[in-house]
Amino acid sequence: MTRRASRGTATPAGRPSTRAVGGSWAPLANADAHLIAEAAFGILERIGLSEAPPEVVELVSEHGGRKSDGRLLFPRALVEEMLALTPKTITLCGQVPDNDLTVGGTETHPGTGGAAPNISDLQTGDIRPSNLSDLRDAARLADALPHVHFFSRSLVAGDIPDPLDLDLNTAFASLSGTTKHVMVQASDPSHVLHIAHMCNLVAGSESAFRARPFLSLNINHVVPPLRFHAESALVLIEAARRGIPVHANVFGQLGASSPVTLAGSVAQTLAEALAGIVLAQLAAPGARVIAGPRPMITDLRTGGFSGGSGEQALATAMAVQVLRLWSLPCSVIAGATDSKLPDHQAGYEKALTVLTAMQAGAHLVTQAAGTQAGLMAVDFSAMVADNDMLGALMRTNKPPVVDETTLALDAIADVVRGEGHYLGRPETYARMRSDFLYPEVADRSSIADWQTAGATDMATRARQRAITILRDHHPSHLSPEMRETLLQAFPTLKA
């Protein structure tokens, strides 16, 4: 890889676009999807959420909500009014336009995520606590992988104990590591001001950032079942007011913090996500907010997370199908394999959950590249291998063109009366480059060639590719002057 100064990884010349079209599969009957939607409205209106901070109670109460027995209730009319205010499509920008993402409609985009506390060391293979240097490397690697469309902070910089320093250094490492859209977190509402200031400096002004927001915030505003997380709810409100796009994410574990049934878990999780959308719109009408329902499956034998299961794929698709009734931009988790290695288990669990999320119509699929061990670790070899997988999955979800040219009746007539094959025809050569997506590390060679090349497995080839990228790929889209400006504005940043 060469050093690139001004852009991220766009689709290479001669390679088919991997902008995929989602929404081809609906696991629920339409009537059942409406039943779950009605249940979500009913949960908000009749059960409500507890532990709402005073600012949230005041904001909701001013618009028709009320407290009852310590729980904040959301009238259906209020929820529907706020859903109507929510933009149906949102542009999450990159620092270069080539990396802009449309969130909403039919596009579906995979990327990283997870905030894992551990990394599989590229040199030793050992799983160890992650640090800021690992986070920078994760951003640089994501920048170089064409089928990873955004960088959601995938690792925690465990070597930075101070919460504000952690949030600022995470944002700086991510923004300097990739020109793709960046998603980070803020652990306290006061931190949002600092993150916004950093973004405004990079953009050139507050208005420039508001026009092209290249950073958004993942916010877990609810602790299931149905309890506000006070600080995070206030982060959501503050971010919405400052023009930062927000992801209203909720993690409910089926059978633990949400009902054991798929329908009940999805209904509760959707209600919790809708509460975040309501807060964002009350705080800043028209705010760019993305619903992030994450109904997560628990292995009830052990109590552990089971992110690669068939039930996980189904729960995610159910939530997305209901959100499509409201035409809401959405984000989901898929690809969170339980395997600790980039092995056969990881491959089938990731392919199952990511593909079904895309086909259900999820607009953003986080944790789709590099996540291992049930969200507890990131593996850079897996990121590279997953890039191949994501390319194939998105190619699968690019609808084929059927017309007079592609039906090729004239070519069929010529070939059967002539040479008897299509190999020498000009359209075959042309479409070999435009219509087919070739993997970077998956093996398609003959047995003999594979043996001659060392008989390596995909994980080994992906590891070497990751090492090469991290050695050679050093994005320099932030000028030395901008880096110095940021370092002066935020003295605790680590260059």
Side-chain angles (χ1 to χ4, degrees):
M1 301 289 297
T2 58
R3 183 181 181 93
R4 292 172 298 160
S6 62
R7 57 186 291 142
T9 306
T11 302
R15 172 178 290 180
S17 168
T18 55
R19 296 273 170 152
V21 174
S24 62
W25 175 55
L28 293 166
N30 189 55
D32 290 341
H34 281 278
L35 282 175
I36 293 175
E38 290 297 315
F41 283 129
I43 290 169
L44 287 173
E45 189 165 45
R46 296 189 295 274
I47 301 174
L49 278 73
S50 65
E51 301 185 21
E55 297 91 331
V56 169
V57 173
E58 180 179 1
L59 191 61
V60 175
S61 299
E62 287 175 351
H63 294 82
R66 64 184 179 90
K67 284 195 74 174
S68 176
D69 295 326
R71 307 189 69 84
L72 185 60
L73 305 181
F74 295 74
R76 177 173 182 146
L78 170 61
V79 178
E80 290 181 330
E81 181 184 355
M82 295 304 105
L83 296 187
L85 288 177
T86 303
K88 301 305 181 278
T89 59
I90 295 168
T91 300
L92 296 182
C93 298
Q95 291 180 70
V96 296
D98 281 349
N99 289 329
D100 290 359
L101 306 177
T102 298
V103 185
T106 60
E107 287 193 18
T108 180
H109 299 284
T112 63
N118 301 296
I119 186 168
S120 179
D121 192 286
L122 261 182
Q123 303 304 321
T124 67
D126 295 333
I127 296 178
R128 58 167 175 78
S130 54
N131 56 45
L132 183 61
S133 178
D134 299 321
L135 177 65
R136 288 197 192 99
D137 287 348
R140 290 195 295 122
L141 190 57
D143 189 68
L145 298 174
H147 309 309
V148 177
H149 288 183
F150 59 86
F151 181 68
S152 180
R153 184 270 303 266
S154 54
L155 291 164
V156 174
D159 53 340
I160 302 180
D162 180 79
L164 176 57
D165 288 350
L166 175 61
D167 286 349
L168 292 177
N169 275 282
T170 297
F172 178 59
S174 301
L175 291 172
S176 60
T178 181
T179 63
K180 297 179 180 181
H181 185 82
V182 163
M183 304 169 192
V184 295
Q185 290 178 288
S187 58
D188 187 89
S190 65
H191 299 182
V192 176
L193 172 64
H194 300 285
I195 293 173
H197 182 42
M198 181 182 295
C199 292
N200 296 341
L201 288 173
V202 173
S205 67
E206 179 181 350
S207 60
F209 175 74
R210 284 178 177 267
R212 289 189 48 79
F214 45 75
L215 176 144
S216 56
L217 289 182
N218 280 313
I219 304 170
N220 304 329
H221 60 286
V222 167
V223 179
L226 294 166
R227 291 182 292 129
F228 275 111
H229 184 274
E231 290 81 7
S232 296
L234 298 179
V235 165
L236 188 150
I237 291 171
E238 184 67 21
R241 287 173 173 164
R242 294 192 174 275
I244 302 175
V246 295
H247 305 259
N249 298 337
V250 180
F251 295 79
Q253 283 192 272
L254 185 142
S257 58
S258 67
V260 73
T261 59
L262 289 174
S265 179
V266 169
Q268 177 191 301
T269 302
L270 286 169
E272 292 163 334
L274 291 181
I277 292 175
V278 171
L279 291 188
Q281 296 306 329
L282 289 176
R288 288 170 281 204
V289 56
I290 296 167
R294 281 110 162 89
M296 310 305 289
I297 301 301
T298 302
D299 188 320
L300 296 175
R301 301 169 303 176
T302 64
F305 172 56
S306 183
S309 63
E311 296 85 1
Q312 182 63 66
L314 190 55
T316 298
M318 290 167 64
V320 172
Q321 184 178 343
V322 177
L323 288 172
R324 289 176 64 194
L325 297 177
W326 301 315
S327 299
L328 289 176
C330 71
S331 162
V332 302
I333 285 177
T337 179
D338 296 303
S339 177
K340 318 308 177 283
L341 301 168
D343 57 9
H344 183 88
Q345 178 186 344
Y348 89 75
E349 289 184 346
K350 291 183 179 190
L352 167 69
T353 55
V354 175
L355 180 60
T356 52
M358 289 180 174
Q359 291 178 331
H363 301 123
L364 299 173
V365 183
T366 71
Q367 279 87 333
T371 304
Q372 304 290 128
L375 304 180
M376 293 304 291
V378 165
D379 187 304
F380 289 163
S381 300
M383 280 185 69
V384 172
D386 292 343
N387 180 67
D388 265 16
M389 174 196 71
L390 294 174
L393 296 185
M394 286 187 285
R395 184 66 183 89
T396 302
N397 285 280
K398 183 181 179 184
V401 174
V402 180
D403 58 17
E404 184 176 341
T405 299
T406 61
L407 287 171
L409 298 183
D410 290 342
I412 294 171
D414 289 345
V415 166
V416 298
R417 295 185 178 94
E419 295 179 326
H421 64 79
Y422 299 84
L423 294 175
R425 295 185 64 85
E427 69 269 19
T428 300
Y429 178 74
R431 288 182 177 270
M432 180 184 77
R433 298 199 229 177
S434 65
D435 287 20
F436 296 87
L437 183 67
Y438 300 102
E440 294 189 9
V441 293
D443 176 67
R444 292 182 176 178
S445 63
S446 68
I447 293 176
D449 288 344
W450 172 70
Q451 290 173 329
T452 300
T456 58
D457 60 17
M458 188 171 183
T460 300
R461 295 189 298 275
R463 174 180 174 273
Q464 187 54 55
R465 180 70 175 144
I467 291 171
T468 300
I469 291 173
L470 292 176
R471 182 194 67 202
D472 298 340
H473 184 67
H474 300 280
S476 56
H477 53 281
L478 289 185
S479 68
E481 293 78 15
M482 176 55 66
R483 293 178 67 89
E484 184 60 31
T485 295
L486 295 174
L487 291 171
Q488 290 182 5
F490 305 98
T492 61
L493 291 184
K494 303 180 186 301

